[in-house]
Amino acid sequence: MNREIVIEAEELVKRYGKIYALKGVSFKVYGGEIYGLLGPNGAGKTTTIRAIAGALKPSQGYVRVFGLDSFRDKYHVRKRIGVVPELPSLYPELTIYENLYFIGRIYGLNRDRVKERIRVVSERLGLEKILHYKYGRLSKGFKRRVDIAAALVHDPDILLLDEPTTGLDVLVASRLREFIAELGRMGKTIILSSHYIDEAMNLSDRVLLLYNGVKILEDQPEYLRRILQLDKRVRIYLSRRLDAGEANMVRKRLEGIDGIDKIDVRDRIVELHTKKPVEIVRRVEDLLVELGIGIKDIDVIPPSWEDIFRKFVEGYEGIGGKCGPCPLAGAG
Amino acid sequence: MLVRSGDAVMNNSLIIFLKDVREYYSKAPVISWGILFPLTAVVLMGLSIGLYGENRLVPGMFTLSLLFASTSMVQVAISFEKMSGTFQRILFLPLRDMELLIGKSLGGILYGFIGVGIAGFTVYFITGHTILLRPWFFIVGVLIGSLVFTFLCLIITLILDPIPGVATLNIVRFTMVFLGGIIFPKVMMPKILLPLTYALPSVYINEMIRFGLYNTWDYIDPYTSIAMSLIYLTTLFIIARRILDRILYP
């Protein structure tokens, strides 16, 4: 990573009628950095990506890419960026080769150069043997690879990836993350939007946390990880209803187990909040067997985005960080 | 510099055009609405020539074919791209809206000329007519006509979702066929409907084609037709560009 600022957003606002998609977001991205945009659906990640690509007119504020206004100079800005949109969006009736050729030519590459680039990117992405396949007939995983190849065909300085692993199976998503990390090591500046916390944390050099169009905070993943010591909810479905006495007894025995932060026993459900779900489930199973209470099912429920953001804000301010204008202010 | 940037515009427009031809030329709606339907209609019109007279009906055969051929290609290209999400991807490519507009229009012009060629063969087989008395009028009429119909279709398909877009386009097409001077000569058109006829661009395009074929006119003289067609063309182009701009950069 170098310290040259390649993207700079200043007080970026995007309004559609009365609805605000972005409410004054500012950030800087340095050359060679993987910069994560993290947030739930509707946080403003895609709007931010589109603003960087000059694909929407900011209501207020600006985005500069290599010093150029991304909207007013969009033609020149787009020549230097590659975009992988959230959904597969190449031409289904054209082959992979024809799609890449079309995109490369639009980016201004001459015939020889575009052929050379197709060879390079298809080898890197393992597409060289299926270049004659029609895009519309590919699996989701291969479509994603072709989308990335299309974004790389003109060898851009900046790559914008909008939810690149959404909808992919675990293995394909994992391979794709490895490839993104490899691109990062090669010095590409990458903007990675994701609603998967682990994905953004593991791949990014820095993360911008968005919620309801507001910048919550921007920092290195290690800082965010320190704050993200969140409880998971373990919900145990019992085979029968507990009477008041039994419920009381179960509650008391559970209180004696270390690592359980909150206990709720009602009807046929025991719900626990813990940071160590695997260990706790094992101990609670033993306890219930000892008490002669059968277990029907167990769910481990990850924290909700609402929990995460509340925790982020509290935790970050707790270690001396400064949260931006917080949409959760006053909540909880 | 101007020439170079003009070259770049044409170059990108041609790339879009060639991609569209490759992607959409064999799509069912292009074949059925752009070729088969006008062919059938033109043959049926040809069979009625004895009823209305050759110079009254033959120009309409060309205009009808031009109308359906040029609009079907654009309608399919835009609708399929809207549905597949590829139209939204264009947002991220280094394309000027003019390049996109021209690129999308070239398909309409090409299919317009193909439609006219098909009508020409049909007319030849039915009437044996081969002579263009005013060839330049004919060619200019076809060219302006293909552009007017293309931009009109572009506006409808850009504004509306694909399914209501097709329905609206068909209402516009058939209004022009029946009330826009394509089938019925002026003497047969009820006077009360004439203002509507003169408000439709098809009547002027049909008159230019008629003048090119037979050196005669029915609804309006050929020079006024050229002027009116150019006004329509300019207006529709400006509207299409503004709509495209609004859609591309909300």
Side-chain angles (χ1 to χ4, degrees), chain B residues 43 87 104 142 151 153 161 178:
Chain B
V43 169
F87 197 71
K104 290 289 175 200
V142 171
F151 288 133
C153 175
D161 285 336
F178 291 107

Side-chain angles (χ1 to χ4, degrees), chain B residues 2 11 19-20 44 55 58 62 82 96 117 129 135-136 140 149 152 191 198 217 219 223 235 247:
Chain B
L2 259 178
N11 191 31
K19 183 270 296 170
D20 275 1
L44 287 174
N55 65 359
V58 167
F62 281 96
K82 272 181 160 181
R96 297 180 174 94
H129 185 99
W136 284 110
V140 168
F149 294 144
L152 187 62
K191 280 210 169 102
Y198 286 113
W217 50 274
Y219 279 88
Y223 295 100
T235 311
I247 288 172

Side-chain angles (χ1 to χ4, degrees), chain B residues 140-212:
Chain B
V140 168
V142 171
L143 185 64
I144 296 177
S146 65
L147 282 167
V148 165
F149 294 144
T150 295
F151 288 133
L152 187 62
C153 175
L154 202 58
I155 290 167
I156 293 167
T157 44
L158 281 174
I159 293 174
L160 298 171
D161 285 336
I163 291 170
V166 174
T168 308
L169 181 62
N170 277 336
I171 290 170
V172 172
R173 279 164 166 170
F174 285 105
T175 304
M176 286 203 265
V177 168
F178 291 107
L179 302 177
I182 290 179
I183 290 184
F184 298 113
K186 192 177 178 184
V187 288
M188 291 184 68
M189 193 62 78
K191 280 210 169 102
I192 195 163
L193 291 175
L194 275 175
L196 178 59
T197 303
Y198 286 113
L200 295 170
S202 54
V203 72
Y204 306 106
I205 289 152
N206 197 44
E207 288 307 314
M208 285 162 70
I209 289 173
R210 191 194 312 279
F211 197 70

Side-chain angles (χ1 to χ4, degrees), chain A residues 129-165:
Chain A
K129 288 183 182 152
I130 56 165
L131 283 171
H132 60 287
Y133 282 29
K134 284 193 175 179
Y135 178 78
R137 295 192 184 158
L138 298 174
S139 66
K140 272 186 190 171
F142 271 105
K143 276 185 181 159
R144 217 63 188 132
R145 283 201 225 177
V146 180
D147 291 340
I148 293 175
L152 288 171
V153 76
H154 61 297
D155 198 13
D157 299 304
I158 300 172
L159 191 60
L160 308 180
L161 301 166
D162 193 2
E163 306 271 2
T165 58

